[in-house]
Amino acid sequence: MRYWAAAKAAAGTAEEPYAAATLAEALNAARAAHAANPEFARVLLRCSFLVDGDPVGTRDHAAVPLAEGGTVEVLPPFAGG
């Protein structure tokens, strides 16, 4: 998982591995791993996600499969371009 901007700050790291079959599982594991910092869970609520470069959009996170060795980008809202 790659964290950007506020997600990176809340996680305290730019990137960490995941071991999950779906995006929902990966996010639940990340929330548990960062439970000591409640800001992390709050930031995730506002984030958009890319899985292997494809936007997740409004799809149910439990229905978004993750490939072994794939990439999840965690993108909080930000201004600029």
Side-chain angles (χ1 to χ4, degrees):
M1 297 184 82
R2 291 185 189 148
Y3 301 112
W4 297 96
K8 179 179 172 181
T13 186
E15 173 171 327
E16 61 190 359
Y18 67 82
T22 68
L23 179 58
E25 290 175 13
L27 293 175
N28 286 338
R31 282 185 198 95
H34 298 282
N37 181 4
E39 181 61 18
F40 181 78
R42 283 192 290 270
V43 168
L44 284 186
L45 292 173
R46 300 185 310 265
C47 287
S48 297
F49 305 95
L50 299 175
V51 174
D52 296 329
D54 294 324
V56 171
T58 59
R59 289 184 286 160
D60 180 359
H61 295 166
V64 178
L66 300 181
E68 186 175 328
T71 302
V72 175
E73 306 275 349
V74 181
L75 306 165
F78 54 91

